[in-house]
Amino acid sequence: MSGPVRFDVGNEVRFLGRAAVITLQSSPDEVMVQFVDTGETGTASVSQLESKDEPTTAKLRTLDAIPEEDLAVARERYKAIEPLLEITRRKGEAFAARAEEIGVHEKTLRRWCDAYRNRGLLSDLVPSRRGKRKRRLPRKVEALIQDVIENVFLTKQKVTAKKAIDEVIRRCKAGRLKVPHPNTVRARIKAVKESERMKRRQGAKAARDKFAPVKGEFPDGNFPLETVQIDHTKLDIMLVDDDTRLPIGRPWLTVAIDVFSRMITGYYISLDAPSAFSVGMCIRQSALPKDAELEKLGIDKKWPVWGLMRTLHADNGKDFRSNTIQKSCDEYGINIAWRPVRQPHFGGHVERLMGTISKEIHALPGTTFSNIQEKGEYDSAKHASMTLDELQSWFVTYVVGVYHQRVHKGIGMSPIEKWNEGILGTSRRKGTGIPPRVGDPERFAIDFLPSESRTVQADGISWSGITYYAPGISGWIRAKKGGQSVKFTVRRDPRDISRIYFLDPELREYLEVPYREDSHPSISLWELRAAKNYLKAKNAENIDEDAIFAAIDAMERITETATVETKKVRRAKQRKKVHARDTSEKRPSIELV
């Protein structure tokens, strides 16, 4: 897995296949370079630059495959080095002071920093295990520890961690259970979020005063990508399908905005309702370069925004709080800050952005407006004329050609000007420099896909009634540990569930596993659910894999032969078409096992 590509002055890179050194950051997406062999200089777009190193051979460590106690240690190490990662002056003093402050040797801090800077992944801070990994704690011991943390440590009595550990040991001995090492219990205690710890031990007010943003509005970011707000909205426009140009309904928009500059960092438009997948797609689009998308849409403008946000600010919806989003953000060092309940002004920047977008949408044909009074006698369905693709093209054109260029009254300049100032600096303040690019975009894309835990049976892996198989998973058939069946992490793209990504716990990398029955067509998760509903409506006795794909075939024939299609059918056809197109363009190119 490759590390991030960095563009700091003095960094060695490869440009046009030759070794070069960056000498100047001339714009947010261009640098001056000097070739090592000839001394010639030139200007390079950052999209043309590659890391000077070959992809790292360091063993991939995936959060899904790492025990929670090791993750707790990794989080503590990250917390220890976080203040040191951006230090550029007087590093020795900073490391010495931090080492004394937290009681860790200075050399240890430097080693952790070096390990993290290589790829910027939390999993690189996980402690190495030599020899055979110890077995995890028995279920009863694990449950006992969690009970002590919940009902003894996280209480207003504010008992010390040592007393909680002593209580665990006492209960284990009384119950004749294996006594865990004190450090194991301490790691479980450290894994409790500091905000939750303060809330339970000192009260909600104390937690709010320390961890909630300042009263009033969410504070402005201090630099680009320090804080990015994200949210969903259903757009006030009726779309039409590609073929009949007849109405299919309103789409959803997920959008992310940089609080410092008000630049839109990413978006996702879909006919599907918001979900953790929508959030993941928006984060992916936010963090990765936009050049390929602009070229595909034929938009001759720049959108020089990429890189990992430091904090993602979201509301309390279950799609934002999903385990997939939380663990993936942890892996890439993205902190998630939740909007205080019943305080919508804390999401003010993204809310105002959505209001601005809505006003622009109301000028388009097919708008539904915001309310009945505003709509009047306007017939949205009659005037609808934009397809999903056309709306996407319109939206991106608006973002890069209008919104980013227009003066924003909240910052007194255009978002692109503010972004440039934050990146390159001014006479009064230093810029952050061009953000590093994600080193492995394909792996990054998989990490934000929805996940589940599944066993491997003789015929393969079953998920939602469909079986998947490849030779690479045969070694894990009916795997057991401690007498219990082992469940493995698998991920899938809801737009195309014809394959899943199986996390091999030994290789700690994903293997692509297709349908066991390769004659089945590619379908989306939405089509799968529709087929099951279709069978239930017909009171089908068996809803197995054969019945599901037979139902999909029947539904397809009904749709194709319908003489007068309803809006629901047209929407279904368009959704299927969009899912098939998007996944063929964006599917990670992992070799089948």
Side-chain angles (χ1 to χ4, degrees):
M1 181 175 180
S2 302
V5 183
R6 304 183 186 278
F7 308 105
D8 301 326
V9 172
N11 269 19
E12 294 184 38
V13 293
R14 295 194 68 80
F15 176 45
L16 302 178
R18 298 163 62 188
V21 176
I22 296 175
T23 58
L24 176 69
Q25 293 185 351
S26 50
S27 78
D29 59 351
E30 289 185 338
V31 296
M32 294 289 294
V33 298
Q34 183 174 36
F35 289 108
V36 173
D37 53 359
T38 64
E40 297 175 279
T41 61
T43 300
S45 167
V46 295
S47 63
Q48 298 175 293
L49 301 181
E50 300 173 349
S51 172
K52 74 175 182 67
D53 302 314
E54 293 296 321
T56 179
T57 56
K59 196 164 187 176
L60 192 60
R61 311 192 66 161
T62 313
L63 288 190
D64 294 324
I66 298 173
E68 185 56 40
E69 59 264 33
D70 286 355
L71 278 180
V73 173
R75 292 188 183 104
E76 285 298 309
R77 290 179 174 182
Y78 178 76
K79 190 183 300 182
I81 66 173
E82 187 176 11
L84 303 171
L85 295 174
E86 305 298 328
I87 297 293
T88 57
R89 298 177 59 193
R90 298 183 176 180
K91 291 185 179 180
E93 295 178 16
F95 274 89
R98 185 63 173 163
E100 184 176 355
E101 177 186 354
I102 63 175
V104 174
H105 197 282
E106 185 178 340
K107 287 185 178 179
T108 301
L109 285 179
R110 291 184 181 277
R111 186 175 71 251
W112 292 346
C113 278
D114 290 342
Y116 184 79
R117 284 194 178 109
N118 182 35
R119 296 186 294 184
L121 300 179
L122 178 68
S123 52
D124 285 331
L125 294 176
V126 169
S128 298
R129 301 290 187 183
R130 300 193 178 190
K132 187 176 181 180
R133 182 181 292 277
K134 295 181 180 179
R135 294 177 62 182
R136 297 186 184 185
L137 295 177
R139 289 184 181 180
K140 290 184 178 180
V141 176
E142 191 70 68
L144 188 151
I145 293 174
Q146 294 305 320
D147 183 67
V148 171
I149 292 175
E150 182 74 17
N151 299 305
V152 177
F153 182 73
L154 294 177
T155 66
K156 297 294 193 298
Q157 291 182 332
K158 304 174 188 174
V159 302
T160 63
K162 184 180 184 306
K163 287 186 177 181
I165 293 170
D166 290 342
E167 178 64 12
V168 169
I169 294 173
R170 185 192 69 77
R171 292 189 187 187
C172 285
K173 289 181 178 179
R176 296 185 177 181
L177 299 172
K178 181 181 179 180
V179 177
H181 193 281
N183 285 345
T184 300
V185 184
R186 188 172 288 108
R188 301 295 197 282
I189 293 173
K190 286 183 176 181
V192 178
K193 287 188 175 181
E194 191 177 351
S195 57
E196 179 66 13
R197 182 182 307 190
M198 179 170 284
K199 179 181 178 181
R200 298 284 297 277
R201 288 163 64 92
Q202 300 183 36
K205 184 179 184 302
R208 279 197 308 270
D209 290 344
K210 180 171 182 180
F211 294 100
V214 296
K215 301 293 187 292
E217 287 224 356
F218 192 87
D220 288 347
N222 296 305
F223 50 84
L225 299 181
E226 180 189 29
T227 302
V228 169
Q229 289 186 348
I230 185 172
D231 209 347
H232 315 287
T233 189
K234 197 168 190 178
L235 294 176
D236 296 330
I237 187 170
M238 185 74 69
L239 297 182
V240 299
D241 77 351
D242 293 340
D243 299 324
T244 67
R245 309 300 289 196
L246 291 174
I248 58 173
R250 295 163 58 192
W252 284 91
L253 169 69
T254 304
V255 66
I257 181 174
D258 174 51
V259 172
F260 170 80
S261 65
R262 311 302 201 270
M263 287 283 279
I264 296 175
T265 64
Y267 76 98
Y268 181 61
I269 300 176
S270 174
L271 294 171
D272 300 307
S275 63
F277 178 69
S278 309
V279 178
M281 289 294 290
C282 187
I283 294 173
R284 286 161 51 173
Q285 211 259 355
S286 180
L288 299 176
K290 320 290 192 290
D291 297 355
E293 179 175 6
L294 292 173
E295 183 177 355
K296 185 188 82 170
L297 295 174
I299 299 173
D300 189 20
K301 298 283 185 181
K302 289 187 176 183
W303 193 349
V305 177
W306 61 82
L308 300 173
M309 66 284 292
R310 179 168 294 187
T311 295
L312 183 70
H313 185 240
D315 69 20
N316 286 275
K318 64 179 182 179
D319 44 349
F320 294 111
R321 285 186 174 272
S322 77
N323 187 54
T324 293
I325 298 300
Q326 184 67 66
K327 294 191 81 170
S328 299
C329 285
D330 281 349
E331 171 71 325
Y332 290 94
I334 301 171
N335 173 54
I336 302 180
W338 310 113
R339 182 186 305 176
V341 179
R342 294 186 294 277
Q343 298 187 50
H345 52 275
F346 280 91
H349 298 303
V350 72
E351 295 287 352
R352 281 193 292 274
L353 170 63
M354 288 177 169
T356 299
I357 293 171
S358 292
K359 289 180 181 178
E360 299 290 340
I361 291 285
H362 293 166
L364 297 177
T367 178
T368 59
F369 295 99
S370 301
N371 53 62
I372 297 296
Q373 291 75 24
E374 189 178 358
K375 181 178 179 182
E377 297 182 358
Y378 184 83
D379 189 334
S380 302
K382 179 180 179 180
H383 291 88
S385 63
M386 296 187 78
T387 65
L388 187 65
D389 285 348
E390 290 165 349
L391 177 66
Q392 180 183 5
S393 183
W394 173 88
F395 178 77
V396 175
T397 300
Y398 166 73
V399 168
V400 299
V402 179
Y403 181 80
H404 286 169
Q405 311 299 326
R406 191 165 58 193
V407 173
H408 190 295
K409 65 179 182 181
I411 53 178
M413 63 180 70
S414 68
I416 190 66
E417 287 179 296
K418 187 71 172 178
W419 176 265
N420 291 349
E421 281 193 1
I423 298 296
L424 301 177
T426 67
S427 58
R428 293 177 296 174
R429 60 176 290 170
K430 185 179 179 181
T432 60
I434 299 174
R437 278 205 320 263
V438 172
D440 192 340
E442 292 184 355
R443 178 55 191 267
F444 187 79
I446 293 176
D447 279 334
F448 281 91
L449 293 177
S451 66
E452 290 283 351
S453 296
R454 291 288 183 271
T455 59
V456 180
Q457 299 301 315
D459 58 347
I461 299 170
S462 179
W463 192 353
S464 300
I466 298 177
T467 304
Y468 301 83
Y469 181 78
I473 66 172
S474 60
W476 300 106
I477 292 175
R478 297 196 182 98
K480 291 185 179 294
K481 186 174 183 181
Q484 300 292 324
S485 295
V486 177
K487 290 188 174 183
F488 302 88
T489 296
V490 289
R491 295 180 185 269
R492 68 181 175 188
D493 187 330
R495 299 167 302 176
D496 180 2
I497 62 171
S498 64
R499 64 199 62 224
I500 59 176
Y501 301 99
F502 169 83
L503 180 62
D504 188 301
E506 288 187 351
L507 299 176
R508 285 182 176 164
E509 62 183 30
Y510 287 104
L511 307 177
E512 196 174 279
V513 185
Y515 290 145
R516 181 178 183 86
E517 176 53 68
D518 59 11
S519 64
H520 289 329
S522 296
I523 62 171
S524 68
L525 180 59
W526 179 88
E527 290 175 275
L528 173 65
R529 290 170 177 166
K532 289 184 175 181
N533 290 335
Y534 174 84
L535 291 169
K536 288 178 182 177
K538 289 186 170 295
N539 297 316
E541 293 185 5
N542 295 316
I543 304 181
D544 57 15
E545 184 169 330
D546 290 337
I548 287 171
F549 281 97
I552 288 172
D553 183 60
M555 292 165 64
E556 183 74 17
R557 282 186 276 108
I558 291 171
T559 301
E560 292 299 329
T561 59
T563 55
V564 180
E565 294 182 340
T566 66
K567 183 170 72 174
K568 182 177 180 181
V569 172
R570 293 194 300 272
R571 186 178 179 90
K573 287 180 65 177
Q574 187 64 28
R575 181 188 278 112
K576 179 178 180 179
K577 184 185 297 184
V578 170
H579 286 173
R581 181 203 63 210
D582 287 350
T583 52
S584 66
E585 293 173 351
K586 300 176 182 178
R587 175 186 293 158
S589 56
I590 292 180
E591 186 175 349
L592 292 176
V593 295

